[in-house]
Amino acid sequence: MKVPMLDLSEQYSNIKEEVLTVLDEVMSSSRFILGENVKKFEADIAKLSNVEYGVGVANGSDALHISLQACGVGQGDEVITTPFTFFATAGAIARAGATPVFVDIEEDTFNIDPKAIEAAITDKTKAIIPVHLYGQTADMDPIREIAAKHNLAIIEDAAQAIGAKYKGRMVGELGDTACYSFFPTKNLGAYGDAGMVVTNNPDIAEKMSVIRVHGSKPKYYHHVLGYNSRLDEMQAAILNIKFKKLGTWIEQRRQAADNYTKMIKEALGDQIVTPIEREENFHVFHQYTIRVDKRDELQQYLNEVGVQTMIYYPLPLHVQPVFKELGYNEGDFPLSEKAANEAISLPMFPEIKPEQQKYVVEKIIEFFIK
Ligand SMILES: *Cc1c(COP(=O)(O)O)cnc(C)c1O
């Protein structure tokens, strides 16, 4: 048997006719940029996030960058975030002209440790970017308290967590802005790049909608420096179709996660650390990520027997060559470094079959008892 990390083929065959129909509609309409499909998708994602405004942009990385700009973050400012995330989180901070300041994570959720944030605040700190890694929110109440106390903006990196909840509140309403990615592998994926920022703040929403069109307002008059970053009509039309299934897909992911955990625990007890879902959280399992000691050997073994896995992420951002000048060293964030050595994500997608999951777990057991 072969089990891929992600298989989008069944999903496509289920929606193929609808997708081809709307693509034909968009092309026949000749309206490709910022039309009705984008408007509808922005409204639906804002509603899901329990906020007023959605601003479609070209990708999740730009969503972060535009959020920072709209919150007034730029040259000379510092933004606190986690080193255990996809590069784009810190890349956006640096692209905005600001300095990423890292703090370590919590071991059990892999998310930024709120207790570490306050010590990293200086008079240059302007914002915090918590990342809801793998589909589970960061511990937002203490982060919100710190941000309020020090007058900092909160930008949620919700690229992996659309539809997740924290204490009954939605991802998207937990900060000043929240950034989604609709990269094809995300829980709600386009057929190309796409992203969005949601917010409840009308001024920030207005600024972002101007920045994404070159800072042009009124048209051809530029008071701010923007650029070209838009979600296009074809992707929005596809995403409008997929959006209707998101709730079902999230339930299927949660069920698959539950299956993995039961099978692994039964066979291996505590030899493997399975993902936790904190009581106050509703985890959407973008990834199902376990921790093991012999991680690289396990990955190689699984690869040989047809099970694809991924390492998110093998090198924390504070030790990435491009951030060398920030002056961090190995050992600065032990829990992030430990996670980078132990974490391995198993195949996870809504359509994954119980037989496939059974095979994955059997092969993991084989590795540990051989
Ligand atoms: C995917 C992702 C992004 C960036 O999204 P793109 O659409 O690929 O630019 C940012 N942050 C995190 C945590 C991500 O997983």
Side-chain angles (χ1 to χ4, degrees), residues 59-61 64 85-86 88-89 131 157 159-160 181 183 186 194 313:
N59 53 64
S61 307
L64 290 161
T85 175
F86 179 55
T89 314
V131 180
D157 184 338
Q160 303 188 1
S181 165
F183 185 76
K186 301 286 156 95
Y313 297 92

Side-chain angles (χ1 to χ4, degrees), residues 11-317:
Q11 188 194 83
Y12 181 55
S13 64
N14 289 334
I15 57 176
K16 186 171 175 173
E17 275 172 39
E18 269 183 284
V19 167
L20 295 178
T21 303
V22 295
L23 286 180
D24 182 52
E25 280 169 16
V26 171
M27 287 184 269
S28 304
S29 80
S30 301
R31 176 80 200 243
F32 299 108
I33 304 292
L34 299 182
E36 289 309 311
N37 288 292
V38 170
K39 243 186 224 146
K40 175 171 171 32
F41 188 56
E42 287 174 337
D44 282 342
I45 297 299
K47 191 165 173 220
L48 172 75
S49 313
N50 211 18
V51 296
E52 279 296 316
Y53 309 98
V55 178
V57 296
N59 53 64
S61 307
D62 279 2
L64 290 161
H65 185 193
I66 289 177
S67 285
L68 287 162
Q69 272 184 293
C71 290
V73 176
Q75 204 75 44
D77 297 333
E78 293 177 356
V79 178
I80 295 173
T81 193
T82 160
F84 192 64
T85 175
F86 179 55
F87 176 77
T89 314
I93 298 169
R95 276 203 296 149
T99 303
V101 173
F102 298 114
V103 303
D104 212 353
I105 57 170
E106 297 181 313
E107 186 159 17
D108 58 350
T109 62
F110 300 93
N111 281 325
I112 191 166
D113 183 353
K115 295 186 296 303
I117 292 175
E118 222 157 4
I121 294 175
T122 71
D123 53 7
K124 294 179 181 164
T125 310
K126 286 283 162 59
I128 306 171
I129 307 188
V131 180
H132 307 317
L133 202 69
Y134 305 146
Q136 171 158 244
T137 62
D139 189 7
M140 292 303 292
D141 274 352
I143 295 173
R144 290 164 60 91
E145 264 172 47
I146 294 164
K149 185 171 152 199
H150 297 272
N151 196 23
L152 308 175
I154 297 177
I155 294 165
E156 296 177 71
D157 184 338
Q160 303 188 1
I162 193 163
K165 294 175 208 175
Y166 173 81
K167 299 186 179 174
R169 305 185 67 199
M170 294 306 297
V171 153
E173 61 170 322
L174 303 168
D176 295 273
T177 76
C179 303
Y180 295 118
S181 165
F182 308 107
F183 185 76
T185 62
K186 301 286 156 95
N187 284 14
L188 181 58
Y191 291 156
D193 280 307
M196 193 181 296
V197 190
V198 295
T199 180
N200 237 345
N201 183 318
D203 296 331
I204 292 177
E206 163 70 14
K207 279 188 186 135
M208 296 190 299
S209 61
V210 173
I211 292 170
R212 74 173 168 182
V213 291
H214 308 278
S216 173
K217 194 188 179 191
K219 205 164 185 182
Y220 304 123
Y221 290 81
H222 303 262
H223 296 277
V224 297
L225 186 62
Y227 44 93
N228 178 354
S229 182
R230 291 169 305 227
L231 167 56
D232 76 63
E233 280 291 288
M234 285 208 242
Q235 297 301 344
I238 293 164
L239 287 164
N240 281 328
I241 292 166
K242 287 194 167 198
F243 178 67
K244 293 182 272 181
K245 323 249 179 197
L246 180 63
T248 308
W249 289 339
I250 289 173
E251 282 310 322
Q252 288 171 318
R253 284 175 180 275
R254 289 175 56 80
Q255 183 61 55
D258 204 43
N259 291 346
Y260 269 139
T261 299
K262 282 194 180 123
M263 286 190 281
I264 292 171
K265 284 260 174 268
E266 196 174 308
L268 294 163
D270 293 333
Q271 277 194 67
I272 289 183
V273 181
T274 51
I276 62 138
E277 176 181 44
R278 288 225 180 126
E279 206 175 295
E280 68 268 27
N281 282 345
F282 179 80
H283 194 324
V284 294
F285 287 97
H286 174 57
Q287 298 299 340
Y288 184 89
T289 304
I290 60 174
R291 280 178 186 268
V292 292
D293 284 335
K294 295 186 196 148
R295 194 266 316 271
D296 294 342
E297 291 93 323
L298 174 64
Q299 181 173 46
Q300 195 188 338
Y301 181 74
L302 291 176
N303 192 36
E304 281 160 16
V305 296
V307 175
Q308 194 189 7
T309 57
M310 293 292 278
I311 311 298
Y312 301 118
Y313 297 92
L315 189 65
L317 301 187

